[in-house]
Amino acid sequence: QVQLVESGGGLVQAGGSLRLSCASSGRTFSSYVMAWFRQAPGKEREFVATINRSGGSTLYADSVKGRFTISRDNAQNTVYLEMNSLKAEDTAVYYCAADPVAGISPYEYDYWGQGTQVTVSS
């Protein structure tokens, strides 16, 4: 079983930055592909970024490519999402997710955090 807890959300002005963290309670953190998803009011949950087990490979949604960076620290059982040049359309609840083998669909992930709100004011 994996428990995930996100932190770092908040209110930021457009053009600003935030760093989200997701801490895992499991001792097998390095066995999981990790990802960030987001969900805005009235919209479906959408893929943001994913990172493989070692941290050597990442993938981003086109909408965040070049602005967001996903990383992980397997010694600290934590995955991060560095968000720069934030836009109003980035406003959403951000969730981290884990799965032994998963891609970019939220339906592929078995474990989820509770989410953290990111609000970007224009």
Side-chain angles (χ1 to χ4, degrees), residues 48-88:
V48 174
T50 187
I51 188 166
N52 70 346
R53 299 177 194 85
S54 68
S57 180
T58 58
L59 186 66
Y60 297 93
D62 287 344
S63 59
V64 307
K65 199 173 295 182
R67 299 188 298 121
F68 291 11
T69 302
I70 187 171
S71 61
R72 66 190 297 162
D73 184 338
N74 286 342
Q76 297 295 324
N77 289 356
T78 303
V79 63
Y80 304 98
L81 186 68
E82 184 76 33
M83 305 186 295
N84 298 313
S85 302
L86 283 162
K87 306 175 182 179

